Every structure is written in structure tokens, then in C-alpha cells.
Amino acid sequence: MGTSFSKSAASPTAAAAAEPAAADLEVTPSAPTSAAAEADAAPVPAPLPAGAAPRRRRVSVSAEVDQSKAPVVKKVVEKTADVIDQIKASIASNFLLNSLPAEQLSEVIDAMEEKDYAAGACIIQEGHDGDNFYVVASGECEVFIEGKNDGAALRTIRTGGGFGELALMYNAPRSATIKAVGDVKCWALDRVTFRRTIMAAGQARRKKYEHFLNQLELLRHLTPGDIAQLADAVEPLSFEAGDTIIEQGDADRQNFKFYIIEEGESQAFIRKDGRDVLMSTLGEGEYFGEKALVEMTPRTATVKALSAVKCACLSIAAFERLMGSCMQLKEQASSGYHDVDEVSHWLKLLQSDRPLSITVSCA
């Protein structure tokens, strides 16, 4: 964690305290009381040799200890082999953890602590400081953000889902409130271990995705800080030719994602009168999956990989936190997929205005 330094002028009060008061300068009974006496009491310095420079008074220098060179004390919470296996099973689907090198993953597992919460308990509170990153081991949690969704839960986090990372990454207050639906068990990872392992491992990945995201027309108005947060949240996924990436009618919002194509091509279809109608072919830099996230509806189109495809994906939680403003134009322009001719009209209109970012109209 970096340390912040600042300089400020001393206040008059502080300055006065730093200097001796006038009374303190008065001679004490044991001191000489005249200039002559002071002169007599003062030692006479020996004359300097010819050509010698006067010696300067020695100055005391102090410096802060370089914490980066201090020995690392790793946190280890004793666990049985069965508990370690439980943690591995819980984090297998968590993209922040499942791509860690073996040594760092072992350090994370060693540091994790079990935290149990009763139904209705508040695990993290919006606006509060963050101390831990959490992975759900069992049970369900609900996500609330003040002023959104009329106070109702925005989504549910189930086994393997993680939360609380943003506050640790950016030293920011919690961005949402998480409550236990029933009895919940979580694995909690402390701030220091999180930053030393997960954040360090993510640096190379962040640079890669910052470069990619900076080239997208969709994100052209975002600040470098916004792009950095997106890059941290991106999850890479790969698909083989013929794989179905999203499917029309899917209503499992827990697993919804927003997709940006890094490599390869995919095709978007809408099912009409029992057959799939090809709507668009999507290539590098184009995106899909946003409609269902913005409108909170089931998927309204199917997208299949035409070739081997690599995507940069955002989970529904990351999308809601980071991408809302990017979708405003699309949300206003897109009126749905109820009529294929209407969709074609919107595709042509949007393609002419936004050639890179909105050739897609898939949810």
C-alpha cells in the first residue's frame, strides 16, 4: 500500500511552541549574568591552520524505514486438509482467484478465515471502509445499492461468488451493501494479503486490458481511472467455433455477463417462427449482452461463436458498477427485438452513426 506525503505550513501556535519563550531565554541563577562574564566563560577556539576551511556543524538526518524491504509476515490460519479442499471448491469459479499462480493461491488459502453470518446479517455496508474480500462458501447473499431498484435487491451472490474487492483495490468506501439471505458461510481474505497476492498478480493483466479497452469507441469518454477499474474487473473467456455464448430466453441473471470480442467472430440470432434468424456478425472490438443487464430482462437473442473467440467479459456486478453510463445511448436507441424488421432498422441506423461500438444488438 502506498504512503501519502504532504507538506503544510506550521500554524502560528505550532511555531510559537517550537521556539523557546522569551522567559526561557533569561539567564538562570547558575549562568553568568554579564557579557564580560559570558566572554570569560566561553572557550576560545584555536586558530585554523592556513588555508583550512571552517568545519560545519554535524547535521542529524533521519529517514523512514522502507517498508517494501521489510520482511513479509504471511498470515496463516490453521486448517485441515478437508477445509482446504472446501476452499478450493468454493473459489474454483472465481476469476480473481482461479488464475493465480500456485504459490500465491496457496498463500491466499492459508490466510483465509471462515466467517459465519445469520439470516439478515449485514456483511458489508455501503459507504464503510473495507477490511476483507469475501468468497461465498455456502448460502446466498443479496446486493443493495442506495437509491437503486426501489430498495430491492439488485442481484444474488451464490457459492463461489466474491465481493468486496473494489474497496481494497482503490482504498475506497464500500460501493454496495451485502446481506445474508439465510445462514451464510464466507471465506474472508484480509486487505494486506489481498493486495500482496491478487493485486500483484493482476498488474500484467491490467496493462493488457487497459491497452485493449482504450481502443474501443464505446469507452472513448472514460477517464484513465475508469479504464483502469474496468481492466481490473475484466474476466477473459474463450469459446470454440459453434459454442453458444448466450441463449435467447435465458433468465439466470446470476450468471449474466457483458462481452467484448477480443479475437474471432460470432453471430447473433433471434428466434422467430421456430427458426433462428441471423441478425449480425460481430468482430473484434464489438460487444453484446448489455440489453438484458440494462433492462433486467431475460436474454432476447442468441450469440454463437463463428470461429474460435476470445472475449473480455464483465460480470453483472461489475457491469452495474462500471458500465451504466456507457449504455445510456444504447438503452435509449434500442427498442427491443419483438420485430425483426424493427431490429434491422435500428442496426442500420446505429451502424451508420457508431460504426465500431453498436453493430451489436444482443442481450
Side-chain angles (χ1 to χ4, degrees):
M1 184 181 300
T3 305
S4 176
F5 298 92
S6 62
K7 295 182 179 180
S8 60
S11 67
T13 303
E19 295 181 3
D24 295 334
L25 296 178
E26 297 291 340
V27 292
T28 62
S30 60
T33 57
S34 68
E38 287 183 8
D40 292 339
V44 178
L48 291 172
R55 293 182 63 187
R56 293 190 172 200
R57 187 176 180 181
R58 187 175 180 180
V59 178
S60 176
V61 179
S62 64
E64 285 193 71
V65 176
D66 185 352
Q67 297 295 336
S68 66
K69 296 180 181 178
V72 174
V73 179
K74 297 181 180 180
K75 180 177 179 179
V76 177
V77 179
E78 293 297 325
K79 302 174 180 70
T80 65
D82 285 344
V83 170
I84 290 174
D85 288 341
Q86 290 175 28
I87 295 176
K88 288 181 177 178
S90 297
I91 67 178
S93 60
N94 188 284
F95 85 95
L96 280 176
L97 302 175
N98 60 19
S99 59
L100 286 176
E103 182 178 351
Q104 289 173 315
L105 180 61
S106 178
E107 184 177 345
V108 165
I109 292 173
D110 284 344
M112 279 185 156
E113 293 184 83
E114 180 178 329
K115 301 281 188 180
D116 297 305
Y117 302 93
C122 181
I123 303 174
I124 66 175
Q125 178 68 49
E126 183 177 357
H128 287 194
D129 292 337
D131 52 359
N132 291 313
F133 167 66
Y134 298 88
V135 177
V136 179
S138 63
E140 296 183 351
C141 304
E142 289 183 330
V143 181
F144 301 86
I145 296 179
E146 187 176 353
K148 289 193 175 183
N149 206 27
D150 296 325
L154 289 166
R155 67 184 184 97
T156 301
I157 305 173
R158 299 184 175 88
T159 300
F163 56 90
E165 71 278 9
L166 283 186
L168 306 188
M169 286 179 172
Y170 304 108
N171 291 322
R174 296 294 196 190
S175 59
T177 295
I178 311 291
K179 294 183 178 180
V181 176
D183 290 341
V184 170
K185 179 170 80 172
C186 291
W187 300 113
L189 182 67
D190 66 282
R191 170 192 288 269
V192 173
T193 306
F194 177 91
R195 293 179 66 87
R196 186 174 62 244
T197 55
I198 296 173
M199 284 191 65
Q203 291 302 314
R205 187 171 64 89
R206 174 199 274 189
K207 288 182 180 179
K208 170 189 172 182
Y209 282 111
E210 281 183 343
H211 177 73
F212 172 68
L213 296 171
N214 270 316
Q215 299 179 60
L216 301 183
E217 177 73 10
L218 167 67
L219 309 178
R220 71 189 186 282
H221 68 286
L222 296 186
T223 67
D226 294 332
I227 292 291
Q229 289 195 45
L230 280 176
D232 281 332
V234 161
E235 175 184 359
L237 288 179
S238 298
F239 304 91
E240 299 298 326
D243 286 353
T244 297
I245 304 174
I246 64 174
E247 187 164 8
Q248 185 173 341
D250 180 12
D252 184 10
R253 289 184 57 80
Q254 172 69 22
N255 293 314
F256 279 4
K257 298 182 188 298
F258 170 66
Y259 301 83
I260 304 173
I261 299 176
E262 289 187 74
E263 297 177 14
E265 290 186 320
S266 60
Q267 292 181 318
F269 301 87
I270 292 179
R271 194 168 300 115
K272 185 178 175 73
D273 298 329
R275 64 187 184 89
D276 287 338
V277 179
L278 176 63
M279 299 303 303
S280 182
T281 298
L282 316 172
E284 181 180 341
E286 295 177 314
Y287 63 87
F288 58 92
E290 79 288 354
K291 182 177 171 62
L293 303 185
V294 169
E295 298 183 359
M296 297 187 177
T297 61
R299 296 294 195 187
T300 53
T302 295
V303 176
K304 295 182 179 181
L306 182 61
S307 62
V309 172
K310 289 184 180 179
C311 290
C313 306
L314 290 175
S315 68
I316 184 171
F319 180 89
E320 287 169 348
R321 286 196 310 263
L322 304 172
M323 289 291 291
S325 61
C326 296
M327 293 294 104
Q328 288 176 358
L329 177 60
K330 179 66 185 292
E331 183 182 3
Q332 293 167 2
S334 177
S335 59
Y337 305 124
H338 303 296
D339 186 278
V340 173
D341 293 334
E342 183 182 6
V343 175
S344 298
H345 164 74
W346 280 114
L347 282 170
K348 291 175 182 177
L349 176 63
L350 294 171
Q351 192 169 19
S352 64
D353 292 337
R354 305 276 300 272
L356 172 62
S357 64
I358 310 194
T359 56
V360 180
S361 22
C362 311

